[in-house]
Amino acid sequence: MEVAAGAARWVVGKALGPVADGLLEAWAASKELGPNVDALKMELLYVQGMLNNTRGRDIDNPALNVLLQKLRDLAYNAEDVLDELDYFRIQDQLEGTYEAADEHAKGCMCNLYLHAHHTARAAGKLLCFCPCSRAAGHSTDPSEQREEDTRQQVLCCAWPCAKQRSARGNTPSAPHNHQANEEVRRCMRKLASGACNTIRHVGKLLHCSSLPTHDDDSSVMPVICGACKHKASLKKHVKETPKLEFDRVDLSKRMKHIVEQLQPVCAKVKAILNLELLGSSHTTAPSIAKSPSTTTSDIIESTLYGRETAKKSIIDSITHVKYSDKDLIILPIVGSGGIGKTTLVQHIYHSQEVQKHFQVKVWICVSQNFIVNKLTEEIEKAIPSVEGEKGGRAEVLIEQRLNSKRFLLVLDDIWKCESEDWERLLVPLRKGQTKGNIILVTTRFPAVAEMVKTTDSSIDLKGLEQGVFTDFFRACIFRDKQSQKDHHGLLEIGDKIAEKLKGSPLAAKTVGRLLRNHLDVYHWNRVLESREWEMQTGERDIMPALKLSYDYLSFHLQQCFSRCALFPEDYEFNSEELIHFWIGLDILPSGDRNKTVEDVGVDILNDLVNHGFFKKDETGGHPYYIIHDLLHDLALKVASHECLSLHHSNVRSVEIRPSIRHLSIIIDGPDDSNGITDETFKSELRKLKTKLKVENLQTLIIFGGEDESFVSIFGDLFMEANALRVLCLPTLSYPLESMLHNFSSLLHLRFLKLGTSISQMHLPTTLSRFYHLKILDLQEWDGSLLLPRDMSNLAKLCHFLAQYGDLYSGIYNVGKLKLLQELKVFAVNKESEGFELNQLEHLNEIRELGIYNLEKIHTKDKAVEAKLIDKNYLHKLTLCWDSERSNIESDVEAVVLESLRPHRNLQELCIRGHRGPCPAWLGDKLVVEALQTLCLVGVSWGVFPSLGKMWDLRELTVENIATIKEFSLEQSFCKLVKLTLVDLENFEKWVPLATHLFPCLQELTIIDCPKLSELPCSSHIVYPLKQDWNIDWFPKLQKLRIENCPGVFLLPPIPWTHTLSNVSISGVGSKLPNQLVYSRVALQITGKDGMHSLDQLLLFSQLTELQELEFEKCPPLKLEHFLMLTSLKRLWAWSSNHRVLPSEVQSGVQWQHPVEDILICRSRSSGKELTQFLSHLPKLSKLGLYSCENITQVAVGVDLQQTRAPVVSSSTSSDVTMDDTLAKDELQEIAEVEEVGANTVDDDGLLVLPAHLSNSLQALDIRSGGLVVHSLDALKALTTLELKDCSFRHPFPSSLLALELTSVNGVLTLSNLTSLTRLCIYRCKEDLRCEGLLPLLTRGHLSHLDVQRIPNFFGAWDPMWGMQEEQNKRTESKLQYLKTDDMEGFLDAPALCSLLSSSLTSLDFIGNREMARFTKEQEEAFQRLTSLQELQFRFCDELEHLPAGLNKLTNLKILGIWRCPALRSLPKDGLPSSLRELDVQYCGNDELTEQCKRLMGTIPEIKL
């Protein structure tokens, strides 16, 4: 006992020893917070000035780089501490306290209290005293407990930190330590009590609310300064988020420590810089480490891979009619570094056509220095002199020498060029008297190409297609074809490497050099896994070539581009997302006073597009940006010192540097990528904790859904990630706090993106405590829509993005968010307080605003409180009255809308449900003259505003308005781009304007206008139309949509203008089609009985780009119109009453058409007519015949003589070896089929496939009852065959890759179809025997088998049949997918299950209506399928139990159970741990559903 007490006294004495000094130091630190802040700021300013002085100077000193990295780390630490101080000062402002202030606002005595308060806290920390260790004291006395609580309120540090210390601390529990513990606690309480009394005494002097006495029941209340007590009393008694508490002493000490660390490092850096810069000249120009190598016109690569089409196209353009009559054509070729621009132009330059066509040819390598005088001199020197030329300046000599000569000038590799300089260079080149002069420009930068081009578009050079690239890549490695054959085993590895090179020729050369010196598997695998080509630094290697472009960017552009390395390859950014990401990282430079930070972000994004680092894609209607080709790899490389992106394929090989501050983890990678399974990936992630300085992380992005094990890994890994600025978790499956235990203390957060598909998921209540948060992105949040009550604390929030209006309308006291730019839904008076219209008064930064429930505003004074007229940044406004309201006061609504007058800068306005008249500010006294978009829905205005003054109006939508009878076309519509008219029940006509008709309109939509009889252009339509006429109305229309307008009987022919690219018409007049859908390359028409001709409906002369044509119930297509469709590739015709073939087709007419795909359904055309038609289609590769009643037989022209023979031809046995097991009755069936063909061969019903199709037809699909298909063996190119409801005679061509048979008659032999990869057989008789399947499973390539409604298909499988013979021949089966309704038959063939054990990955049991449970033998056979990854049971009506032993299928990832009503439970022995998705739907069994719900958390995705 005495030993224990002595030990305790020693510990207490040791703890009390430094207490006195500690208290004094803490007091000084608290008092010196302000000066320490100033000192730190001054030191940082010094560092900034010193580093700024090195700009423009190229210094290569490894030791200096290490010191600069140290300097950077200290600067990050300084940023953190100052940011933390700013956080608590914001909290002070919100709470009415002065915890983080330099000095208390009330003067000296309050300062004394402030420092005493924080000194006591520091004392508590020195004594390791915190509220979370309360349980260790074992106190039972209530008064003692209250006293302890009081002290804890004063002494505890910030609660998250306390929590962490408590979690880490070890509470003594051994009995022999009890007395020592008691003595320690008494000492602690005595010291703490003294500190409390001191503070209480100071509080009394200041008339503050002093600390409560020990007997006070309210002892848990915090200490509140008297100067602020009245503010605290005003707070409502609502449950608010616990706040973080400020440790003033600790922060002040940290600042001082950083300053002390900065000073010696700065001194060392300064000394080295002075030595390095001694004697160097100062320049402010950007430093670029290297310049691109100079190019010449000489061809280095004799073979041009993959560019022959581009080469021919360019040569034809510059040497023939297209440009021959132009004075000077400038054709730019743009592409990233190493993509092959120069090589392509070299081959063009030396082609025979170019050599003959141009008298003068000049090649100039421009590179980074575009100096007009220098370039002019180079051009002059390259042009041969002419007789009699007069001397002078270079410009004069060029003019003289090119006076009567056609020239080609190549300007290779232009990096930058001002428009004035470009025009100066062109001056002497434009003075020649000949036409057809050409300048070819190559550049990396789209902006340069856009500036110099004189054609419609530039040539955008992309990577080589994979097949061609593989050939080129192999040519870079091996000397010749023989060398490739000698090293055949390496080609598969080489192909994997080639896939990673994105078709870049320079990358192929770089890696080719790495591989060709070591032709062994070890070296090639090492190159594949380490991506060694990224480390090559030679002048002609890929990464240095790409980095030249990167070095050319400004610092801010470099930062913005390099941070995008955190996103997956080929990620599709939208501009808003990308700019917000940059804002969150705080890497955008500050703009001038007229530019917001968002404007600066747009400028930077456009610059990166112009420099070729991003590619903008607008094909889907919504533009997005991608980092293409190898530039993503470049981003990873240049950002590798601070950015790390982890995924399956690099988790083992990537270097993890101690300086990493930005991390992304891509979970949804392909399993077994580079040999990395999910479990291995998780194992590597666990190791990160020892490799990564998590406490330094500023960015964390996780892509993909995480299961419970990932959550556990992340929870442990990111325990100390307290410095995060950007947090992006778009696919949460578990509560956020389970992954980030310290989420509530992330006080540095600027950007937060959360998403989930789980409706029960709640948003963290601590959202409202992230005072630095600028962007909150909940656009992918499908969970609970309840927000914390005090969201208005986020005073710095600029962007709140959500897909649901309830999230916007749920912000209480939104008026405090004065920087907010989006409030798409504000529900007026949603509650009695906090949702008044005056909440909008101070939102002067708002850009987009929607005000709903305006029927609750009854007076002008209340409406004016929104102060919309003062919001000069507001560009999009929605004003909405509830359309379902019962009480309508038109006069009141008129006053309210008049009082909601917006600022004149408004660009988009939508008014819904208003029942008063049009407001003056939108009518006669138009205020919003800058309006570009106007949407009026459900308003009851008797008089509509004259739109004549809205000169900038671009979009107009009018919907659900009964008062509109006519639509006046006004002069202001000269800029209208989009017009939408919907649900106008009384709209009858247009009031035309003689001068113009929508000259800029691009999109016209008219829906549900039953009384409308014509379009505004109807009076211009005159029939018959001429194919070459010019139409001047709607000249720029791109999209036309007309639906449910039965009164419209007349339409212009489609497409009447070349701009029209999207048309959808349905529900119109009786003489028009039921439906017409048109895009530039595809047209679908569903006709009516009243249609007699397509002439008035289609303008065939404008359909030259059409590639696909589908029509149903339409009149015949005339031959002259068919031949106009020169680009047509696919023709599908569905008709029950008409022949669909060109009506003028005759056997003697000579014509051809390049159509490749024809489907004819329900046609009355005869076999003879179709035979004649097909004879004119030399490129036909796909033919389908559905329900063509007049076609009775199909044969191939070259086999026609065989078709006439009534017996089996000799070619049958020679070309295809039939199974020996074929019985005599089967041979007799073949003879009978052939005899039927012989008897009917002269009938018009015979379709003879022309002989030329034997080499072109690749796919044949015949679905016609009673039709006889004769031998198809002559179709040597046929790879896909589908037959349904017909009879056939074999053999089938051995070239088949896919075969599908449904309800057919005949004898099928499969043994010769060794190339077959897909076989589907449905509803056939028992003639089809399983024996023929064995060679496909053993020697063939069959990977997909679908067998349904074939009685006893697997039952005929004899385990010993042929197995002995095949034992020595077969390799492992390649069958991966099996779908069948015959569960019993398949599982009763254990030999078959064994054969498929290593290959079958997907098994789908569907439509078994009888089987209830599995036998033991069937379950054992099931367990042999060890490679199974996906298992489905669907429409199994009687199935009561799943097979036992599913948990032994260790590769199973997906288990699906659909519509199995008899199934009551999952297997008792459980499911495999590898399972990632459980999909149980439409089973109608609550017990099964509940059992699945209990598995949530153990399986990543469960669908019920």
Side-chain angles (χ1 to χ4, degrees), residues 553 557 602-613:
L553 300 175
L557 289 178
V602 171
D603 291 343
I604 283 185
L605 180 54
N606 289 335
D607 285 343
L608 288 172
V609 171
N610 290 334
H611 283 80
F613 286 87

Side-chain angles (χ1 to χ4, degrees), residues 164-229:
Q164 291 172 13
R165 285 197 302 275
S166 176
R168 295 172 190 165
N170 296 317
T171 304
S173 57
H176 65 273
N177 287 333
H178 179 73
Q179 185 176 353
N181 291 341
E182 286 298 324
E183 188 165 351
V184 170
R185 282 196 294 275
R186 282 196 298 271
C187 293
M188 288 181 173
R189 284 197 294 270
K190 184 175 181 181
L191 178 63
S193 179
C196 291
N197 291 333
T198 302
I199 297 168
R200 187 176 297 109
H201 178 66
V202 174
K204 289 178 179 179
L205 291 175
L206 296 173
H207 306 288
C208 293
S209 59
S210 65
L211 279 174
T213 62
H214 298 337
D215 298 326
D216 191 345
D217 290 336
S218 60
S219 59
V220 295
M221 289 180 59
V223 178
I224 303 176
C225 171
C228 315
K229 182 180 179 182

Side-chain angles (χ1 to χ4, degrees), residues 137 202 454 657 694 715 801 838 997 1021 1071 1125 1163 1189 1210 1221:
V202 174
T454 60
R657 305 187 182 189
V694 177
L801 311 169
N838 62 12
L997 266 168
I1021 301 176
K1071 294 185 179 181
L1125 308 179
S1163 170
E1189 59 187 35
S1210 59
T1221 57

Side-chain angles (χ1 to χ4, degrees), residues 5 47 50 72 155 157 186 202 763 769 814 839 1092 1496:
V47 172
M50 178 180 63
R72 178 185 293 179
L155 294 178
C157 59
R186 282 196 298 271
V202 174
L763 288 165
R769 290 296 177 181
V814 72
Q839 290 286 329
H1092 301 291
M1496 287 184 174

Side-chain angles (χ1 to χ4, degrees), residues 79-315:
E79 179 189 19
D80 285 347
V81 75
L82 291 173
D83 197 58
E84 186 175 338
L85 177 63
D86 189 36
Y87 173 91
F88 285 107
R89 287 182 171 174
I90 295 172
Q91 183 165 280
D92 278 348
Q93 187 176 5
L94 291 170
E95 302 291 333
T97 56
Y98 295 90
E99 299 291 305
D102 291 348
E103 298 288 342
H104 200 290
K106 294 296 182 178
C108 180
M109 296 303 292
C110 285
N111 280 330
L112 180 62
Y113 165 79
L114 182 68
H115 302 319
H117 174 61
H118 285 279
T119 301
R121 252 194 215 152
K125 289 182 65 177
L126 289 172
L127 296 173
C128 300
F129 195 80
C130 73
C132 301
S133 61
R134 189 180 303 167
H138 307 289
S139 175
T140 58
D141 184 358
S143 62
E144 183 179 346
Q145 183 65 55
R146 287 195 297 271
E147 177 183 350
E148 190 170 330
D149 287 342
T150 300
R151 288 194 300 274
Q152 289 159 356
Q153 288 294 325
V154 178
L155 294 178
C156 114
C157 59
W159 62 269
C161 302
K163 187 188 301 182
Q164 291 172 13
R165 285 197 302 275
S166 176
R168 295 172 190 165
N170 296 317
T171 304
S173 57
H176 65 273
N177 287 333
H178 179 73
Q179 185 176 353
N181 291 341
E182 286 298 324
E183 188 165 351
V184 170
R185 282 196 294 275
R186 282 196 298 271
C187 293
M188 288 181 173
R189 284 197 294 270
K190 184 175 181 181
L191 178 63
S193 179
C196 291
N197 291 333
T198 302
I199 297 168
R200 187 176 297 109
H201 178 66
V202 174
K204 289 178 179 179
L205 291 175
L206 296 173
H207 306 288
C208 293
S209 59
S210 65
L211 279 174
T213 62
H214 298 337
D215 298 326
D216 191 345
D217 290 336
S218 60
S219 59
V220 295
M221 289 180 59
V223 178
I224 303 176
C225 171
C228 315
K229 182 180 179 182
H230 67 285
K231 297 182 181 179
S233 66
L234 295 177
K235 293 184 177 294
K236 297 293 179 183
H237 297 285
V238 294
K239 185 177 180 181
E240 294 187 346
T241 310
K243 69 175 183 178
L244 302 181
E245 295 206 22
F246 180 50
D247 192 336
R248 184 183 181 94
V249 172
D250 177 69
L251 192 73
S252 182
K253 287 181 178 179
R254 284 159 56 197
M255 286 185 182
K256 184 177 180 181
H257 182 60
I258 292 171
V259 171
E260 291 171 350
Q261 287 182 301
L262 275 172
Q263 288 171 343
V265 177
C266 287
K268 290 179 174 61
V269 171
K270 181 180 178 182
I272 295 176
L273 285 176
N274 287 337
L275 292 174
E276 289 279 358
L277 302 178
L278 187 63
S280 66
S281 59
H282 183 73
T283 175
T284 58
S287 173
I288 297 179
K290 295 180 181 179
S291 296
S293 57
T294 302
T295 65
T296 69
S297 64
D298 297 338
I299 293 179
I300 299 175
E301 298 170 20
S302 57
T303 303
L304 185 64
Y305 284 85
R307 306 292 190 200
E308 287 297 338
T309 302
K311 173 187 171 183
K312 184 178 185 303
S313 175
I314 295 172
I315 291 175

